[in-house]
Each structure stands twice: as C-alpha cells, then as structure tokens.
Amino acid sequence: NAGVMQNPRHLVRRRGQEARLRCSPMKGHSHVYWYRQLPEEGLKFMVYLQKENIIDESGMPKERFSAEFPKEGPSILRIQQVVRGDSAAYFCASSPPSRGGDEQFFGPGTRLTVL
Amino acid sequence: AQSVTQPDIHITVSEGASLELRCNYSYGATPYLFWYVQSPGQGLQLLLKYFSGDTLVQGIKGFEAEFKRSQSSFNLRKPSVHWSDAAEYFCAVGKAAGNKLTFGGGTRVLVKP
C-alpha cells in the first residue's frame, strides 16, 4: 500500500506565476488535509477536504489560494500570483473514513521556492 | 481555540542518555494528542497517539508519552536515545476524528556521540 504521494517534491516559481501542488492520498482514504510549514516553524492547517467537498478551509488565505479534491484524481492546492512569502513546505495528509480519531498520514511535502 | 506549546526549541542529548520533550496544550475537552517526528527534508511520521484510556502510551522506536490532564501536558520520553533519533519532533492536538491538527512549533533534537 503506497503512502501519500505528493508532486512535485520541489517547485520553483517566479513572483506572479501560478503554483499547482498535487496530492494522492493513500488507497482507501477519503479525507485530505493540506498544511503549510514556513521555515523554522511548525505546520499550520490550511484546508480539509473530502471527495468533491471542502469541509474546513479556515486556514486558507482569503485570496490567491484554492484547493480541490475531485471525484477522480489527486487533490490540488493552487496558488495564484505567488509572492515570496508563499515560499514554504506544503504537506498533504490523508486519513480513512472516520472511525474516531484516526491518525493522519503525511506525504513527503512539496517545497515551493518563489524567486 | 486549541493551541500547543513546545517550550524547548532545541535539545542536545548524548547517545544513550534519556530524552524528554515537553508539550503543553490548551483545549476545553479531552483532546486527541499526537507526537510526530520529521527527519530533514522528509514528511512527518507518527510516533504515538492518545485518545482515551491508559494515560501512558507506547509508540514506535521505543518512545512513550504520558497524558496528564491536570497539567495539560503530553510529554514524550525515550529511555536511551540513538543517533538516528536526531530529528525534529512535533506535538499536535486535534478535536475529534477527521479534524484538523494544531501543531506545536517543534523541538529539534541533536544527538552527541
């Protein structure tokens, strides 16, 4: 059973470009979470999705950021018009249909660098 | 709002010595508590978790943690560290199943030979 997969692992963008980060959850997992880790900081929650639904986006910046988890295919975190402050590691996690406190399994992350 | 504090940013320990990492949380009800480890350039791996029951929880790699409700703490311990334990450790709290996690700032552990 493959773990959570994220691609690309490293992404370089210039200011004003778009960044698309992909996350394939573990097989059988229907919950996806995105977290951002700024340099020298802990992870901060961004958004929680189930298939075709955004459940909690309380951690998403109001502008330029969006996320989706379509019926088919990976979850996508999209950042439009990137700025230097968006440089961070973005982690995706997945969990199975809730049975009570299931752990979240983390992917290796995408490290975004904005020049 | 829930929050997690890890008071120690860095800890240096000799190989073979014991290790304790502190974690304090703020949450109104019984939380779901987790410890994750992150090696450089890698994702997070779960060490252990606490939901209910026995307050002393055993995890992987020889780690254990104790939930103390009166102190709002969930400290992580290992009796004898190995060089491979050098990493960053994160404590996290969640409200319920399928809910977002709130992470502490992390503690970076260095292991001296």
Side-chain angles (χ1 to χ4, degrees), chain B residues 19 48 54 56 58 66 68 72 85 87 92 100 102 107 111:
Chain B
L19 174 68
L48 46 79
D54 192 347
L56 186 62
Q58 301 298 320
E66 186 171 12
K68 292 185 177 179
S72 298
D85 293 323
K100 64 186 180 185
T102 298
T107 298
V111 180

Side-chain angles (χ1 to χ4, degrees), chain A residues 25 29-33 48-51 69 93-98, chain B residues 97-98:
Chain A
H29 287 194
S30 55
H31 298 207
V32 165
Y33 310 79
Y48 161 37
L49 310 105
Q50 295 179 19
K51 287 283 188 181
F69 189 17
S94 72
S95 65
S98 174

Side-chain angles (χ1 to χ4, degrees), chain B residues 29-109:
Chain B
T30 299
Y32 291 75
L33 293 161
F34 305 83
W35 274 100
Y36 284 88
V37 60
Q38 183 181 33
S39 297
Q42 301 298 312
L44 279 72
Q45 180 183 23
L46 182 72
L47 289 174
L48 46 79
K49 59 187 178 184
Y50 171 79
F51 300 147
S52 64
D54 192 347
T55 56
L56 186 62
V57 180
Q58 301 298 320
I60 63 171
K61 304 185 178 187
F63 285 92
E64 66 177 25
E66 186 171 12
F67 171 61
K68 292 185 177 179
R69 183 189 300 276
S70 61
Q71 298 177 19
S72 298
S73 69
F74 189 56
N75 294 348
L76 181 72
R77 298 192 293 256
K78 184 168 183 176
S80 176
V81 299
H82 185 262
W83 64 266
S84 60
D85 293 323
E88 189 149 23
Y89 293 79
F90 292 97
C91 181
V93 63
K95 287 194 289 186
N99 205 279
K100 64 186 180 185
L101 296 178
T102 298
F103 284 85
T107 298
R108 185 157 293 172
V109 174

